[in-house]
Amino acid sequence: MAVTDVADRLYGITFRPQELALYGERVQFDLRYAAMFDDPSEVTERHFSLLVLEITAEIPADEGLARNGGRMQLLKCGWELERRADPAQQVDTLPEAPGDVARLLERIAATVNDLAGRAGLGAPLGPEVITSLLHQYRTGASR
């Protein structure tokens, strides 16, 4: 079976750069990677996967942005990967290729860091954060 990458592209983004800068010491990361499909029995040449990075922070009730306290979503960014399989395969059967998650996470980081820079803020997703997220993803740990 031959599998080739066709494209990777931004799937969607919600970002609060000022709040991320303000609450950066309280953040929690959630990184998820999964196949996307409607019918699990479908056999196709085109396969799609999605990497989503979500950053949230717990905000105490006495701080202005969260009226009653609670969790605030500071970032949710998804990057899609399209691959082609020859011959056609059932969806959700292509194995994760080495480097897929790292490459997509780098795309997310570049997008987020660019937007933060446009907002006059520093890059929140530096190399150390990326390395840590990849390690946590590979070991199944959460941060």
Side-chain angles (χ1 to χ4, degrees), residues 15-28 55-60 62-66 72-75 116 119-124:
F15 186 27
R16 297 174 180 235
Q18 286 79 11
E19 289 85 350
L20 182 56
L22 182 63
Y23 298 116
E25 298 300 317
R26 301 181 195 170
V27 297
Q28 293 183 346
I55 302 175
T56 58
E58 193 68 36
I59 310 299
D62 61 345
E63 294 190 22
L65 292 175
M72 177 185 284
Q73 184 183 74
L74 305 174
L75 171 75
L121 303 168

Side-chain angles (χ1 to χ4, degrees), residues 3-61:
V3 178
T4 54
D5 290 351
V6 175
D8 63 74
R9 56 195 154 254
L10 180 64
Y11 185 82
I13 186 168
T14 303
F15 186 27
R16 297 174 180 235
Q18 286 79 11
E19 289 85 350
L20 182 56
L22 182 63
Y23 298 116
E25 298 300 317
R26 301 181 195 170
V27 297
Q28 293 183 346
F29 296 90
D30 184 25
L31 188 64
R32 300 179 303 276
Y33 183 66
M36 296 185 337
F37 52 88
D38 292 324
D39 178 1
S41 64
E42 179 183 8
V43 175
T44 182
E45 290 180 346
R46 296 177 68 198
H47 295 260
F48 298 89
S49 298
L50 182 64
L51 181 72
V52 175
L53 173 62
E54 188 171 9
I55 302 175
T56 58
E58 193 68 36
I59 310 299

